[in-house]
Coordinates of all heavy atoms in Angstrom, one line a residue:
M12 N 0.8 -1.2 0.0 CA 0.0 0.0 0.0 C 0.9 1.2 0.0 O 1.6 1.5 1.0 CB -0.9 -0.1 1.2 CG -1.7 1.2 1.5 SD -2.9 1.0 2.8 CE -2.0 0.5 4.2
Q13 N 0.9 1.9 -1.1 CA 1.7 3.1 -1.2 C 0.9 4.4 -1.2 O -0.2 4.4 -1.9 CB 2.5 3.1 -2.5 CG 3.6 2.0 -2.5 CD 4.5 2.2 -3.8 OE1 4.2 3.0 -4.6 NE2 5.5 1.4 -3.8
P14 N 1.2 5.4 -0.4 CA 0.5 6.6 -0.3 C 0.6 7.4 -1.7 O 1.7 7.3 -2.3 CB 1.1 7.4 0.8 CG 2.4 6.8 1.1 CD 2.3 5.4 0.6
T15 N -0.4 8.0 -2.1 CA -0.4 8.8 -3.3 C -0.7 10.3 -2.9 O -1.2 10.6 -1.8 CB -1.4 8.3 -4.3 OG1 -2.7 8.4 -3.6 CG2 -1.2 6.9 -4.7
L16 N -0.4 11.2 -3.8 CA -0.7 12.6 -3.6 C -2.1 12.9 -4.1 O -2.5 12.4 -5.2 CB 0.3 13.5 -4.3 CG 1.7 13.5 -3.7 CD1 2.6 14.4 -4.5 CD2 1.7 14.0 -2.3
G17 N -2.8 13.7 -3.3 CA -4.2 14.0 -3.7 C -4.5 15.4 -3.3 O -3.9 15.9 -2.3
L18 N -5.4 16.1 -4.0 CA -5.8 17.5 -3.6 C -7.0 17.3 -2.8 O -8.1 17.3 -3.2 CB -6.1 18.3 -4.9 CG -4.9 18.5 -5.8 CD1 -5.4 19.2 -7.1 CD2 -3.8 19.4 -5.1
T19 N -6.8 17.3 -1.4 CA -7.9 17.1 -0.5 C -8.3 18.4 0.2 O -9.4 18.5 0.6 CB -7.6 16.0 0.5 OG1 -6.4 16.3 1.2 CG2 -7.5 14.6 -0.2
G20 N -7.3 19.2 0.5 CA -7.6 20.4 1.3 C -7.3 21.7 0.6 O -6.9 21.7 -0.5
E21 N -7.4 22.8 1.3 CA -7.1 24.1 0.8 C -5.6 24.3 0.7 O -5.1 25.1 -0.1 CB -7.8 25.2 1.6 CG -9.3 25.1 1.6 CD -9.9 26.2 2.5 OE1 -9.1 27.0 3.1 OE2 -11.1 26.2 2.7
A22 N -4.8 23.6 1.5 CA -3.4 23.8 1.6 C -2.7 23.3 0.4 O -1.5 23.6 0.2 CB -2.8 23.2 2.9
G23 N -3.3 22.4 -0.4 CA -2.6 21.9 -1.6 C -2.6 20.4 -1.5 O -3.3 19.7 -0.8
P24 N -1.6 19.7 -2.2 CA -1.5 18.3 -2.2 C -1.2 17.7 -0.8 O -0.4 18.3 -0.1 CB -0.4 18.0 -3.2 CG 0.3 19.3 -3.5 CD -0.6 20.4 -3.0
E25 N -1.8 16.6 -0.5 CA -1.6 15.9 0.8 C -1.4 14.4 0.5 O -1.8 13.9 -0.6 CB -2.8 16.1 1.7 CG -3.0 17.5 2.1 CD -4.2 17.6 3.1 OE1 -4.6 16.6 3.6 OE2 -4.6 18.8 3.3
M26 N -0.8 13.7 1.4 CA -0.6 12.3 1.3 C -2.0 11.6 1.5 O -2.6 11.8 2.5 CB 0.4 11.8 2.3 CG 1.8 12.3 2.1 SD 2.6 11.7 0.7 CE 3.3 10.3 1.4
V27 N -2.4 10.7 0.6 CA -3.6 10.0 0.8 C -3.3 8.5 0.8 O -2.6 8.0 -0.1 CB -4.6 10.3 -0.4 CG1 -5.8 9.5 -0.3 CG2 -4.9 11.8 -0.4
I28 N -3.8 7.8 1.8 CA -3.5 6.3 1.8 C -4.8 5.7 1.4 O -5.9 5.9 2.0 CB -3.2 5.9 3.3 CG1 -1.9 6.6 3.7 CG2 -3.0 4.4 3.3 CD1 -1.5 6.4 5.2
P29 N -4.7 4.8 0.3 CA -6.0 4.2 -0.2 C -6.5 3.2 0.8 O -5.7 2.5 1.6 CB -5.5 3.5 -1.5 CG -4.0 3.4 -1.4 CD -3.6 4.5 -0.4
M30 N -7.8 3.1 0.9 CA -8.5 2.1 1.8 C -8.4 0.7 1.2 O -8.7 0.5 0.0 CB -10.0 2.5 2.0 CG -10.1 3.8 2.7 SD -9.8 3.7 4.5 CE -11.2 2.8 5.0
M31 N -8.1 -0.2 2.0 CA -8.1 -1.6 1.6 C -9.4 -2.2 2.1 O -10.0 -1.8 3.0 CB -6.9 -2.4 2.3 CG -5.5 -1.8 1.9 SD -5.2 -1.9 0.2 CE -4.6 -3.5 0.1
P32 N -9.9 -3.3 1.4 CA -11.1 -3.9 1.8 C -11.2 -4.3 3.3 O -12.3 -4.2 3.9 CB -11.2 -5.1 0.9 CG -10.3 -4.9 -0.3 CD -9.3 -4.0 0.3
G33 N -10.2 -4.8 3.9 CA -10.2 -5.2 5.3 C -10.2 -4.1 6.3 O -10.4 -4.3 7.4
M34 N -9.9 -2.8 5.8 CA -9.8 -1.7 6.7 C -11.1 -1.1 7.1 O -11.2 -0.3 8.0 CB -8.9 -0.6 6.1 CG -7.4 -1.1 5.9 SD -6.4 0.1 5.0 CE -6.3 1.4 6.2
M35 N -12.2 -1.4 6.3 CA -13.5 -0.7 6.5 C -14.2 -1.3 7.7 O -14.1 -2.5 8.0 CB -14.3 -0.8 5.3 CG -13.7 -0.1 4.1 SD -14.7 -0.3 2.6 CE -16.0 0.8 3.0
K36 N -15.0 -0.5 8.5 CA -15.7 -1.0 9.6 C -16.9 -1.8 9.1 O -17.5 -1.6 8.0 CB -16.4 0.2 10.3 CG -15.4 1.0 11.2 CD -16.3 2.0 12.0 CE -15.4 2.9 12.8 NZ -16.2 3.9 13.5
P37 N -17.3 -2.9 9.8 CA -18.4 -3.7 9.4 C -19.7 -2.8 9.6 O -19.8 -2.0 10.5 CB -18.4 -4.9 10.4 CG -17.6 -4.4 11.6 CD -16.6 -3.4 11.1
K38 N -20.7 -3.1 8.8 CA -22.0 -2.4 8.8 C -22.7 -2.9 10.1 O -22.7 -4.0 10.4 CB -22.8 -2.7 7.6 CG -22.5 -1.7 6.5 CD -23.6 -1.9 5.4 CE -23.6 -0.8 4.5 NZ -24.6 -0.9 3.5
R39 N -23.4 -1.9 10.7 CA -24.3 -2.3 11.9 C -25.6 -2.9 11.4 O -26.1 -2.5 10.4 CB -24.6 -1.1 12.7 CG -23.4 -0.6 13.5 CD -23.7 0.5 14.5 NE -24.7 1.4 13.9 CZ -25.2 2.4 14.6 NH1 -24.9 2.5 15.9 NH2 -26.0 3.3 14.1
K40 N -26.1 -3.8 12.2 CA -27.4 -4.5 11.9 C -28.5 -3.4 12.2 O -28.5 -2.8 13.2 CB -27.5 -5.7 12.8 CG -28.8 -6.4 12.6 CD -28.9 -7.5 13.6 CE -30.3 -8.1 13.7 NZ -30.5 -9.1 14.7
P41 N -29.4 -3.2 11.3 CA -30.5 -2.3 11.5 C -31.4 -2.8 12.7 O -31.6 -4.0 12.8 CB -31.3 -2.2 10.2 CG -30.9 -3.4 9.4 CD -29.5 -3.8 9.9
S42 N -31.9 -1.8 13.5 CA -32.7 -2.2 14.6 C -34.1 -2.7 14.2 O -34.5 -2.5 13.0 CB -32.9 -1.0 15.5 OG -33.6 0.0 14.9
T43 N -34.8 -3.3 15.0 CA -36.1 -3.8 14.7 C -37.0 -2.6 14.4 O -37.8 -2.7 13.4 CB -36.7 -4.5 16.0 OG1 -35.8 -5.6 16.3 CG2 -38.1 -5.2 15.7
Y44 N -36.9 -1.5 15.1 CA -37.8 -0.4 14.8 C -37.5 0.2 13.4 O -38.4 0.5 12.7 CB -37.5 0.7 15.9 CG -38.3 2.0 15.6 CD1 -39.6 2.1 16.1 CD2 -37.8 3.0 14.8 CE1 -40.3 3.2 15.9 CE2 -38.6 4.1 14.5 CZ -39.8 4.2 15.1 OH -40.6 5.3 14.8
N45 N -36.2 0.2 13.1 CA -35.8 0.7 11.8 C -36.3 -0.1 10.7 O -36.8 0.4 9.6 CB -34.3 0.8 11.7 CG -33.8 1.5 10.5 OD1 -33.9 1.0 9.4 ND2 -33.3 2.8 10.7
R46 N -36.3 -1.4 10.8 CA -36.8 -2.3 9.8 C -38.3 -2.2 9.6 O -38.9 -2.1 8.5 CB -36.5 -3.8 10.1 CG -35.0 -4.1 9.7 CD -34.7 -5.5 10.0 NE -34.5 -5.7 11.4 CZ -34.7 -6.7 12.1 NH1 -35.3 -7.8 11.6 NH2 -34.5 -6.7 13.4
K47 N -39.0 -2.1 10.8 CA -40.5 -1.9 10.7 C -40.9 -0.5 10.1 O -41.9 -0.4 9.4 CB -41.1 -2.1 12.1 CG -41.0 -3.5 12.6 CD -41.7 -3.7 13.9 CE -41.6 -5.2 14.3 NZ -42.2 -5.4 15.6
Y48 N -40.1 0.5 10.5 CA -40.4 1.8 10.0 C -40.2 1.8 8.4 O -41.0 2.4 7.7 CB -39.4 2.9 10.6 CG -39.3 4.1 9.8 CD1 -40.4 5.0 9.8 CD2 -38.2 4.4 9.0 CE1 -40.3 6.2 9.0 CE2 -38.2 5.6 8.3 CZ -39.2 6.4 8.3 OH -39.1 7.6 7.5
A49 N -39.1 1.2 8.0 CA -38.8 1.1 6.5 C -40.0 0.4 5.8 O -40.4 0.9 4.7 CB -37.5 0.5 6.3
A50 N -40.5 -0.7 6.4 CA -41.6 -1.4 5.7 C -42.8 -0.6 5.7 O -43.5 -0.5 4.7 CB -41.8 -2.7 6.5
A51 N -43.1 0.2 6.8 CA -44.3 1.0 6.9 C -44.2 2.2 5.9 O -45.2 2.5 5.2 CB -44.5 1.6 8.3
Y52 N -43.0 2.7 5.8 CA -42.8 3.8 4.8 C -43.0 3.4 3.4 O -43.7 4.0 2.6 CB -41.3 4.4 4.9 CG -41.1 5.5 4.0 CD1 -41.4 6.8 4.3 CD2 -40.5 5.3 2.7 CE1 -41.1 7.9 3.5 CE2 -40.3 6.3 1.8 CZ -40.6 7.6 2.2 OH -40.4 8.6 1.3
R53 N -42.5 2.2 3.0 CA -42.7 1.7 1.7 C -44.1 1.4 1.4 O -44.7 1.7 0.3 CB -41.8 0.4 1.5 CG -40.4 0.7 1.3 CD -39.6 -0.5 0.8 NE -39.7 -1.6 1.7 CZ -38.9 -1.9 2.7 NH1 -37.8 -1.2 2.8 NH2 -39.0 -3.0 3.4
R54 N -44.8 0.8 2.4 CA -46.2 0.5 2.3 C -47.1 1.7 2.0 O -47.9 1.8 1.1 CB -46.7 -0.3 3.5 CG -48.1 -0.8 3.5 CD -48.5 -1.8 4.6 NE -48.0 -1.4 5.9 CZ -46.9 -1.9 6.6 NH1 -46.3 -2.9 6.0 NH2 -46.6 -1.5 7.7
I55 N -46.8 2.8 2.8 CA -47.6 4.0 2.7 C -47.3 4.7 1.4 O -48.2 5.2 0.7 CB -47.3 5.0 3.9 CG1 -47.9 4.3 5.2 CG2 -47.9 6.3 3.7 CD1 -47.4 5.0 6.4
K56 N -46.0 4.7 1.0 CA -45.6 5.4 -0.3 C -46.2 4.7 -1.4 O -46.7 5.3 -2.4 CB -44.1 5.4 -0.4 CG -43.6 6.2 -1.6 CD -42.1 6.5 -1.4 CE -41.5 7.1 -2.7 NZ -41.9 8.5 -2.9
R57 N -46.3 3.4 -1.4 CA -46.9 2.6 -2.5 C -48.4 2.9 -2.6 O -49.0 3.0 -3.6 CB -46.7 1.1 -2.3 CG -47.1 0.2 -3.4 CD -46.6 -1.2 -3.3 NE -46.8 -1.8 -2.0 CZ -45.8 -2.2 -1.2 NH1 -44.5 -2.1 -1.5 NH2 -46.1 -2.7 0.0
K58 N -49.0 3.1 -1.4 CA -50.5 3.4 -1.3 C -50.8 4.8 -1.9 O -51.8 5.0 -2.5 CB -51.0 3.3 0.1 CG -52.5 3.2 0.3 CD -52.9 3.2 1.7 CE -52.4 2.0 2.4 NZ -52.8 1.9 3.9
K59 N -49.9 5.7 -1.7 CA -50.1 7.1 -2.1 C -49.5 7.4 -3.5 O -49.5 8.6 -3.9 CB -49.5 8.1 -1.1 CG -50.0 7.9 0.3 CD -51.5 8.3 0.4 CE -52.1 8.1 1.8 NZ -53.5 8.3 1.8
T60 N -49.0 6.4 -4.2 CA -48.5 6.6 -5.5 C -49.6 6.3 -6.6 O -50.2 5.2 -6.4 CB -47.2 5.8 -5.7 OG1 -46.3 6.1 -4.7 CG2 -46.6 6.0 -7.1
L61 N -49.7 7.1 -7.6 CA -50.7 6.8 -8.6 C -50.1 5.9 -9.7 O -48.9 5.6 -9.7 CB -51.1 8.2 -9.3 CG -51.7 9.2 -8.4 CD1 -51.9 10.5 -9.2 CD2 -53.0 8.8 -7.8
K62 N -51.0 5.4 -10.6 CA -50.5 4.5 -11.6 C -49.4 5.2 -12.5 O -48.5 4.5 -13.0 CB -51.7 4.1 -12.5 CG -52.6 3.1 -11.9 CD -53.7 2.7 -12.9 CE -54.6 1.7 -12.4 NZ -55.7 1.4 -13.3
S63 N -49.5 6.5 -12.7 CA -48.6 7.2 -13.5 C -47.2 7.4 -12.9 O -46.2 7.8 -13.5 CB -49.1 8.6 -13.9 OG -49.2 9.4 -12.7
G64 N -47.1 7.1 -11.6 CA -45.9 7.2 -10.8 C -45.8 8.5 -10.0 O -44.9 8.7 -9.2
K65 N -46.8 9.4 -10.3 CA -46.9 10.6 -9.5 C -47.5 10.3 -8.1 O -48.2 9.4 -7.9 CB -47.8 11.7 -10.2 CG -47.2 12.3 -11.4 CD -48.1 13.2 -12.1 CE -49.1 14.0 -11.3 NZ -49.9 14.9 -12.0
M66 N -47.2 11.2 -7.1 CA -47.8 11.0 -5.8 C -49.2 11.6 -5.9 O -49.4 12.6 -6.6 CB -46.9 11.8 -4.8 CG -45.5 11.2 -4.6 SD -45.5 9.5 -4.3 CE -46.1 9.4 -2.6
S67 N -50.1 11.1 -5.1 CA -51.5 11.6 -5.1 C -51.5 13.0 -4.4 O -50.6 13.4 -3.8 CB -52.4 10.6 -4.3 OG -52.0 10.5 -3.0
K68 N -52.7 13.6 -4.6 CA -52.9 15.0 -4.2 C -52.5 15.1 -2.7 O -53.0 14.4 -1.8 CB -54.3 15.4 -4.4 CG -54.6 16.8 -4.2 CD -56.0 17.2 -4.6 CE -56.2 18.7 -4.3 NZ -57.6 19.0 -4.6
G69 N -51.7 16.1 -2.4 CA -51.3 16.4 -1.0 C -50.1 15.6 -0.5 O -49.6 15.8 0.6
F70 N -49.6 14.8 -1.4 CA -48.4 14.0 -1.0 C -47.2 14.2 -2.0 O -46.4 13.3 -2.1 CB -48.8 12.5 -0.9 CG -49.6 12.2 0.3 CD1 -51.0 12.2 0.2 CD2 -49.0 11.9 1.5 CE1 -51.8 11.9 1.3 CE2 -49.8 11.6 2.6 CZ -51.2 11.6 2.5
S71 N -47.2 15.3 -2.7 CA -46.1 15.5 -3.6 C -45.1 16.5 -3.0 O -45.4 17.3 -2.2 CB -46.6 16.0 -4.9 OG -47.3 17.3 -4.7
G72 N -43.8 16.4 -3.4 CA -42.8 17.4 -3.0 C -42.3 17.0 -1.6 O -42.6 15.9 -1.0
K73 N -41.6 18.0 -1.0 CA -41.0 17.8 0.4 C -42.1 17.6 1.4 O -41.9 16.8 2.3 CB -40.1 19.0 0.7 CG -38.8 19.0 0.0 CD -38.0 20.2 0.5 CE -36.7 20.3 -0.3 NZ -35.9 21.4 0.2
S74 N -43.1 18.4 1.4 CA -44.2 18.3 2.4 C -44.9 16.9 2.3 O -45.3 16.4 3.4 CB -45.2 19.4 2.2 OG -45.8 19.3 1.0
G75 N -45.0 16.4 1.1 CA -45.6 15.0 1.0 C -44.7 14.0 1.6 O -45.2 13.1 2.3
H76 N -43.4 14.1 1.4 CA -42.4 13.1 2.0 C -42.5 13.3 3.5 O -42.5 12.2 4.2 CB -41.0 13.4 1.5 CG -40.0 12.7 2.3 ND1 -39.7 11.4 2.1 CD2 -39.1 13.2 3.2 CE1 -38.8 11.0 2.9 NE2 -38.3 12.1 3.6
K77 N -42.6 14.5 4.0 CA -42.7 14.7 5.4 C -44.0 14.1 6.0 O -43.9 13.5 7.1 CB -42.7 16.2 5.7 CG -42.5 16.6 7.2 CD -42.1 18.1 7.3 CE -43.2 19.0 6.9 NZ -42.9 20.4 7.3
K78 N -45.1 14.2 5.3 CA -46.3 13.5 5.8 C -46.2 12.0 5.8 O -46.6 11.4 6.8 CB -47.5 13.9 4.8 CG -48.0 15.3 5.0 CD -49.1 15.5 4.0 CE -49.5 17.0 4.0 NZ -50.6 17.2 3.0
I79 N -45.6 11.4 4.8 CA -45.4 10.0 4.7 C -44.5 9.5 5.9 O -44.8 8.5 6.5 CB -44.9 9.5 3.4 CG1 -45.9 9.8 2.3 CG2 -44.5 8.1 3.4 CD1 -45.4 9.6 0.9
V80 N -43.4 10.3 6.1 CA -42.5 9.9 7.2 C -43.3 9.9 8.6 O -43.1 9.0 9.4 CB -41.3 10.9 7.3 CG1 -40.5 10.8 8.6 CG2 -40.4 10.6 6.1
K81 N -44.0 11.0 8.8 CA -44.8 11.1 10.0 C -45.8 10.0 10.2 O -46.0 9.4 11.3 CB -45.5 12.5 10.0 CG -46.1 12.9 11.3 CD -46.6 14.3 11.3 CE -47.0 14.7 12.7 NZ -47.3 16.1 12.8
M82 N -46.5 9.6 9.1 CA -47.5 8.5 9.1 C -46.8 7.2 9.4 O -47.3 6.4 10.2 CB -48.2 8.5 7.8 CG -49.2 9.6 7.5 SD -49.7 9.7 5.8 CE -50.8 8.3 5.8
A83 N -45.6 7.0 8.8 CA -44.9 5.7 9.0 C -44.4 5.6 10.5 O -44.6 4.5 11.1 CB -43.7 5.6 8.1
H84 N -43.9 6.7 11.0 CA -43.5 6.7 12.4 C -44.7 6.4 13.4 O -44.6 5.6 14.3 CB -42.8 8.0 12.8 CG -41.4 8.1 12.4 ND1 -40.4 7.2 12.9 CD2 -40.7 8.9 11.6 CE1 -39.2 7.5 12.4 NE2 -39.4 8.6 11.6
A85 N -45.8 7.0 13.1 CA -47.0 6.9 13.9 C -47.5 5.4 13.8 O -47.9 4.8 14.8 CB -48.1 7.8 13.4
E86 N -47.4 4.8 12.6 CA -47.9 3.4 12.4 C -47.0 2.5 13.2 O -47.6 1.6 13.9 CB -47.8 3.1 11.0 CG -48.4 1.7 10.6 CD -48.3 1.4 9.1 OE1 -48.8 2.3 8.4 OE2 -47.8 0.3 8.8
V87 N -45.7 2.6 13.2 CA -44.8 1.7 13.9 C -45.0 1.9 15.4 O -45.0 1.0 16.2 CB -43.4 2.0 13.5 CG1 -42.4 1.2 14.3 CG2 -43.2 1.6 12.0
K88 N -45.1 3.2 15.8 CA -45.3 3.5 17.3 C -46.6 2.9 17.8 O -46.6 2.3 18.9 CB -45.3 5.0 17.5 CG -45.3 5.5 18.9 CD -45.2 7.0 19.0 CE -45.2 7.4 20.4 NZ -45.1 8.9 20.5
K89 N -47.6 3.0 17.0 CA -48.9 2.4 17.4 C -48.8 0.8 17.5 O -49.3 0.2 18.5 CB -50.0 2.8 16.4 CG -51.4 2.4 16.8 CD -52.4 2.9 15.7 CE -53.8 2.5 16.1 NZ -54.7 3.0 15.1
A90 N -48.1 0.2 16.5 CA -48.0 -1.2 16.5 C -47.1 -1.7 17.7 O -47.4 -2.7 18.4 CB -47.3 -1.7 15.2
Q91 N -46.1 -0.9 18.1 CA -45.2 -1.3 19.2 C -46.0 -1.1 20.5 O -45.8 -1.9 21.5 CB -44.0 -0.5 19.2 CG -42.9 -0.9 18.2 CD -41.6 -0.3 18.4 OE1 -41.5 0.8 18.9 NE2 -40.6 -0.9 18.0
N92 N -46.8 -0.1 20.6 CA -47.6 0.1 21.9 C -48.6 -1.0 22.0 O -48.9 -1.5 23.2 CB -48.3 1.4 21.9 CG -47.4 2.6 22.2 OD1 -46.3 2.4 22.7 ND2 -47.8 3.8 21.8
K93 N -49.2 -1.6 21.0 CA -50.1 -2.7 21.0 C -49.4 -3.9 21.6 O -49.9 -4.7 22.4 CB -50.7 -3.0 19.7 CG -51.9 -2.1 19.3 CD -52.5 -2.6 18.0 CE -53.7 -1.7 17.6 NZ -54.3 -2.2 16.4
R94 N -48.2 -4.1 21.1 CA -47.4 -5.3 21.6 C -47.1 -5.2 23.0 O -47.1 -6.2 23.7 CB -46.1 -5.3 20.8 CG -46.1 -6.1 19.5 CD -44.7 -6.2 18.9 NE -44.6 -7.6 18.6 CZ -43.4 -8.2 18.5 NH1 -42.3 -7.5 18.7 NH2 -43.3 -9.4 18.1
R95 N -46.8 -4.0 23.6 CA -46.4 -3.9 25.0 C -47.6 -4.1 25.9 O -47.4 -4.5 27.0 CB -45.9 -2.5 25.2 CG -44.5 -2.3 24.6 CD -43.9 -1.0 25.0 NE -42.6 -0.8 24.4 CZ -42.1 0.3 23.9 NH1 -42.8 1.4 24.1 NH2 -41.0 0.4 23.3
R96 N -48.8 -3.8 25.4 CA -50.0 -3.9 26.3 C -50.3 -5.4 26.6 O -51.0 -5.7 27.6 CB -51.2 -3.3 25.6 CG -51.1 -1.8 25.7 CD -52.3 -1.1 25.1 NE -52.1 0.3 24.9 CZ -52.7 1.0 24.1 NH1 -53.7 0.5 23.4 NH2 -52.5 2.3 24.0
R97 N -49.9 -6.3 25.7 CA -50.3 -7.7 25.9 C -49.7 -8.3 27.2 O -48.8 -8.1 27.8 CB -49.7 -8.5 24.8 CG -50.5 -8.3 23.5 CD -50.0 -9.2 22.4 NE -50.5 -8.8 21.1 CZ -50.3 -9.3 20.0 NH1 -49.4 -10.3 20.0 NH2 -50.8 -9.0 18.9

């Protein structure tokens, strides 16, 4: 592994050491909540998407994404609260 010169900062060329495959950190396992949230988000997004691929009225743009995120979090939270009550 030989360092090479690269333009990384404002000061000019610096020594850059290339990353080897074994040097990278292992990926963390997603939490249960994260997996359920992702599934809920995909389910809601699929429900609010029209045949043409556009989002339905009220769910387009950034505000639409924000609504879907909020709905997905609420759905997962509600499902988890039902589990705890048993």
Side-chain angles (χ1 to χ4, degrees):
M12 171 170 58
Q13 290 189 354
T15 58
L16 289 177
L18 297 173
T19 56
E21 294 176 4
E25 296 180 15
M26 297 288 273
V27 178
I28 299 173
M30 293 287 286
M31 300 299 278
M34 294 174 70
M35 296 178 75
K36 284 186 184 177
K38 273 193 167 181
R39 289 190 315 175
K40 178 183 168 188
S42 65
T43 304
Y44 180 88
N45 190 284
R46 281 182 282 147
K47 288 183 179 181
Y48 162 74
Y52 181 86
R53 284 192 301 266
R54 186 170 40 254
I55 293 167
K56 187 163 171 74
R57 191 167 44 241
K58 196 182 298 182
K59 300 297 178 186
T60 303
L61 301 174
K62 283 182 182 178
S63 64
K65 287 176 33 178
M66 298 304 291
S67 61
K68 187 176 180 180
F70 289 92
S71 61
K73 286 184 184 178
S74 60
H76 169 71
K77 193 163 65 171
K78 285 180 187 177
I79 294 172
V80 166
K81 193 170 187 176
M82 290 168 70
H84 278 299
E86 184 179 311
V87 175
K88 189 175 180 182
K89 187 175 179 182
Q91 282 189 335
N92 283 340
K93 277 185 180 180
R94 271 186 132 205
R95 286 187 185 145
R96 289 184 190 158
R97 289 183 190 180

